[in-house]
Amino acid sequence: MVLADQAKADLAGLDRATRLLIAAALQRLVQTNTGNIKKLQGIDPPEFRLRVGDWRVRFSYPDSATVRVNRVQNRKDAYRG
């Protein structure tokens, strides 16, 4: 798993409990490719979102062995331009 600089900044701004919740969901995603995942429409190259409560983790697969986390945002902000 690779964290983009923006994703690192997003995580740094969260409280500890939320960071741990998101970290557990990301660990599960990397190990089993499970979770509340949806492919986002109209984005090229393809990007996906992982829903973790009120938080959305936007990620992609740059190659078959890597998950690249692009952003971690509250659901109210996650899909705005």
Side-chain angles (χ1 to χ4, degrees):
M1 177 174 54
V2 176
L3 291 175
D5 289 340
Q6 187 60 54
K8 290 177 187 176
D10 292 340
L11 286 169
L14 301 177
D15 62 88
R16 186 174 192 275
T18 303
R19 275 197 315 268
L20 290 174
L21 186 68
I22 291 171
L26 285 172
Q27 190 68 24
R28 186 172 54 249
L29 171 70
V30 169
Q31 291 177 346
T32 65
N33 203 33
T34 60
N36 190 334
I37 301 168
K38 184 180 267 189
K39 183 177 180 185
L40 298 176
Q41 299 295 314
I43 298 177
D44 191 42
E47 194 170 305
F48 302 83
R49 72 97 173 111
L50 171 65
R51 185 178 138 201
V52 183
D54 283 343
W55 296 92
R56 302 297 181 263
V57 179
R58 292 179 68 159
F59 67 95
S60 58
Y61 297 104
D63 58 57
S64 61
T66 306
V67 174
R68 181 180 196 276
V69 179
N70 301 316
R71 291 298 308 258
V72 178
Q73 296 177 296
N74 189 285
R75 68 184 180 98
K76 68 181 178 186
D77 301 320
Y79 305 112
R80 296 185 181 170

